[in-house]
Amino acid sequence: MNHKELVSRLMASVERQMPAKRWKHTLGVVSCSKSLAASFGADAEKAEIAAILHDVAKFWPVERQREAILHEGAEVALGALDYDKDLWHAHAGAYAAKREYGIEDTEILDAIRYHTSGRAGMTLLEKVVCLADYIEPGRDFPGVEDIRRLAEKSLEKALLAAFDGTIVSLLRKRKRIYPLTVYTRNDLLETIIAREAEE
Ligand code: DGI
Ligand code: FE
Ligand code: FE
């Protein structure tokens, strides 16, 4: 199957698994991922596949999400089951990509798996999809314009602003923070500081 055929097959299947609004968000993440991939030199075809699938499990019943995670081995999901259910769809989505759509490319699977929390040492593709999820055209949260502006120059600076915002909003809502989210934020900050020291 060539890339175009895979894209239309995945799109048809993913659209059926979510409400119209979430599908519109997904299409926004697809176009934004392709354009970030072009700007920053990531693989545009891999970015497109990961973006189409990134929220595929978002509207699965939570029990189905949990089963997918357990099936992979809970350690693969890095303790996500002990945290907020909002985090599960990223791990369940990577499971679906592999088991239900036969995607074997680890880079694509990881871009899906880490699209919500990120992780320390994110790959270029992971950064592209994660950032696109924050700034796709349909997103409208306080600070999104600043992140869009930063994204014109630096994936890391844009993502740091995005994760800072997520962490602040979780603190305000008195929610627990998934440790990977904190590792991601610290790692982005270190990368930026190290780069500034070189300049
Ligand atoms: O699936 P989307 O809505 O497109 O975006 P997403 O995959 O980034 O998910 C965002 C949700 O995940 C949002 O409700 C906040 C939540 N979230 C992200 N990081 C953490 C988190 N929730 C907790 N409890 N802890 C986190 O570290
Ligand atoms: Fe998501
Ligand atoms: Fe999303």
Side-chain angles (χ1 to χ4, degrees), residues 5-170:
E5 287 165 352
L6 178 61
V7 164
S8 34
R9 179 177 148 244
L10 293 178
M11 283 196 164
S13 173
V14 172
E15 184 176 10
R16 270 188 264 116
Q17 297 176 58
M18 51 183 58
K21 199 173 162 208
R22 178 60 42 172
W23 176 242
K24 192 164 176 255
H25 159 72
T26 298
L27 291 177
V29 177
V30 170
S31 75
C32 196
S33 291
K34 283 159 79 175
S35 102
L36 288 172
S39 304
F40 291 99
D43 186 315
E45 293 192 346
K46 290 189 188 191
E48 183 169 26
I49 302 296
I52 294 168
L53 289 169
H54 85 284
D55 277 343
V56 63
K58 185 104 179 168
F59 287 86
W60 287 11
V62 283
E63 274 319 308
R64 184 171 172 203
Q65 294 185 41
R66 189 203 306 275
E67 271 163 32
I69 290 170
L70 289 173
H71 192 261
E72 285 288 71
E75 72 281 1
V76 179
L78 304 151
L81 286 178
D82 297 332
Y83 287 86
D84 212 323
K85 292 180 181 62
D86 285 342
L87 297 157
W88 298 2
H89 74 284
H91 298 282
Y95 171 91
K98 187 170 171 185
R99 307 281 165 180
E100 296 182 11
Y101 299 106
I103 307 291
E104 286 176 357
D105 187 299
T106 317
E107 280 189 81
I108 297 176
L109 298 176
D110 285 341
I112 300 167
R113 187 183 318 280
Y114 299 111
H115 86 264
T116 305
S117 63
R119 61 167 164 169
M122 287 171 86
T123 65
L124 180 58
L125 193 73
E126 288 166 26
K127 289 175 184 169
V128 161
V129 175
C130 184
L131 181 57
D133 194 22
Y134 274 106
I135 64 172
E136 61 93 2
R139 289 290 203 203
D140 177 22
F141 56 86
V144 70
E145 278 308 329
D146 294 330
I147 302 173
R148 290 194 177 112
R149 213 167 304 121
L150 290 166
E152 290 168 17
K153 296 228 168 99
S154 163
L155 282 176
E156 291 77 18
K157 285 185 183 172
L159 277 171
L160 178 64
F163 275 98
D164 281 356
T166 294
I167 291 168
V168 167
S169 115
L170 291 167

